[in-house]
Amino acid sequence: MEALKAKLIDLEECLFEPKVRGTYAELDKLLGDDFIEITAAGSQFGKQAALARLPFESPPLIQAQDYQLRLLAADCAQLLYRATMVKAGETEANVSLRCSIWQLRNQQWQMVFHQGTAIS
């Protein structure tokens, strides 16, 4: 379980990296075709919207901590954590609780769901 937790944390944090966020092919590999995200602001979008937006936006600075892993099935896991994010061009940090669901497909883990909930 610890090895899986380390693997999924590594994949999650890849999505924080400007190089990965700016590369369509990398995002396409990490996000499942049925990916859905619900943002802290309450909007929802899928993989195609993420692929159309992320490579062209200025990435935020994200730091994560307090990771927890829950195995939902042999090929499906939920990663929970607390994130501190500073959006590009801003100086104030936003803190949120995050939840990602990762599924093993063709020997590769892909994110199929992500949600952030703002902490006031």
Side-chain angles (χ1 to χ4, degrees):
M1 186 84 149
E2 286 303 311
L4 176 59
K5 182 178 179 181
K7 171 73 173 170
L8 294 181
I9 288 171
D10 184 54
L11 291 173
E12 187 84 29
E13 291 183 354
C14 279
L15 290 165
F16 300 170
E17 298 296 323
K19 181 180 177 185
V20 173
R21 291 174 76 93
T23 307
Y24 183 94
E26 289 293 321
L27 291 170
D28 187 46
K29 185 170 68 171
L30 288 168
L31 302 178
D33 289 342
D34 53 347
F35 170 78
I36 294 174
E37 178 166 347
I38 300 172
T39 68
S43 61
Q44 179 178 319
F45 58 89
K47 179 177 182 173
Q48 293 310 312
L51 292 175
R53 191 189 86 230
L54 289 178
F56 305 102
E57 73 178 17
S58 295
L61 175 61
I62 303 170
Q63 294 181 319
Q65 59 192 32
D66 302 331
Y67 282 104
Q68 299 171 28
L69 180 70
R70 294 178 57 214
L71 197 58
L72 302 177
D75 64 349
C76 187
Q78 179 184 47
L79 192 62
L80 303 157
Y81 60 98
R82 180 185 186 102
T84 302
M85 179 171 62
V86 179
K87 294 182 180 179
E90 295 183 10
T91 56
E92 192 168 321
N94 298 307
V95 181
S96 58
L97 296 178
R98 300 282 171 145
C99 169
S100 295
I101 297 178
W102 291 85
Q103 189 161 27
L104 185 61
R105 296 175 171 168
N106 300 317
Q107 278 66 48
Q108 180 178 325
W109 286 95
Q110 290 187 309
M111 185 185 288
V112 296
F113 177 80
H114 183 77
Q115 181 169 2
T117 302
I119 299 173
S120 35

